Amino acid sequence: MTNHLRSHIFLGLFGLLMGMSLTFIGFADFGEVHRMFTFADLRLLLAFAAAVAIIMAGYAVLARGKKIPRKPMHKGTIPGGVLFGLGWAITGACPSVALVQLGEGYLPALATMTGIAAGVWAYRRAQARYFHWDTGACEV
């Protein structure tokens, strides 16, 4: 078995495990996400906060006291975050969850995926024409 095929199998299994986890937790259910954003049920919000805390602890362990260099804040971070959050609140899905929803057969996720593709397309056009921001490691 080649390394390329082994890599695809590993990533496919990881994606399957991630999708199953997101479904099991409830992140792929619009109603659950809506209750999170309206603070009607804090279960998902607390799960999300716990995941962030675990990742932060992991980074702290990996850094072992080394100072992580600060990066300059990109001019589009705040408006991009606001647009991402609005899209997530309206559709009940971030990009990975939209793929999980498609895997579950939830057809409205096609509208979410269309919106994601349109947003990426619009950003590329607007960034190249108007902003000319340094995208750093993120290629446009």
Side-chain angles (χ1 to χ4, degrees), residues 8-61:
H8 280 310
I9 290 172
F10 172 77
L11 292 173
L13 290 174
F14 181 78
L16 184 64
L17 181 63
M18 180 181 166
M20 290 170 56
S21 298
L22 290 172
T23 297
F24 179 73
I25 293 169
F27 268 110
D29 180 9
F30 178 82
E32 290 278 340
V33 173
H34 177 70
R35 286 188 289 279
M36 176 184 74
F37 278 117
T38 58
F39 301 110
D41 183 2
L42 298 180
R43 188 180 61 82
L44 278 184
L45 185 61
L46 293 174
F48 194 72
V52 170
I54 290 169
I55 290 170
M56 287 174 61
Y59 275 122
V61 168

Side-chain angles (χ1 to χ4, degrees), residues 8-136:
H8 280 310
I9 290 172
F10 172 77
L11 292 173
L13 290 174
F14 181 78
L16 184 64
L17 181 63
M18 180 181 166
M20 290 170 56
S21 298
L22 290 172
T23 297
F24 179 73
I25 293 169
F27 268 110
D29 180 9
F30 178 82
E32 290 278 340
V33 173
H34 177 70
R35 286 188 289 279
M36 176 184 74
F37 278 117
T38 58
F39 301 110
D41 183 2
L42 298 180
R43 188 180 61 82
L44 278 184
L45 185 61
L46 293 174
F48 194 72
V52 170
I54 290 169
I55 290 170
M56 287 174 61
Y59 275 122
V61 168
L62 290 174
R64 294 189 187 120
K66 297 175 190 166
K67 187 170 178 148
I68 297 172
R70 293 188 63 130
K71 295 181 179 179
M73 189 162 147
H74 189 281
K75 294 176 185 176
T77 299
I78 300 297
V82 169
L83 286 172
F84 179 84
L86 284 172
W88 190 14
I90 292 168
T91 64
C94 64
S96 61
V97 169
L99 291 172
V100 171
Q101 289 174 339
L102 282 176
E104 291 177 345
Y106 184 67
L107 293 181
L110 288 172
T112 304
M113 293 301 297
T114 302
I116 292 167
V120 169
W121 177 85
Y123 169 77
R124 286 183 173 173
R125 299 308 177 274
Q127 198 279 340
R129 186 168 186 178
Y130 302 111
F131 303 117
H132 308 290
W133 291 330
D134 177 20
T135 57

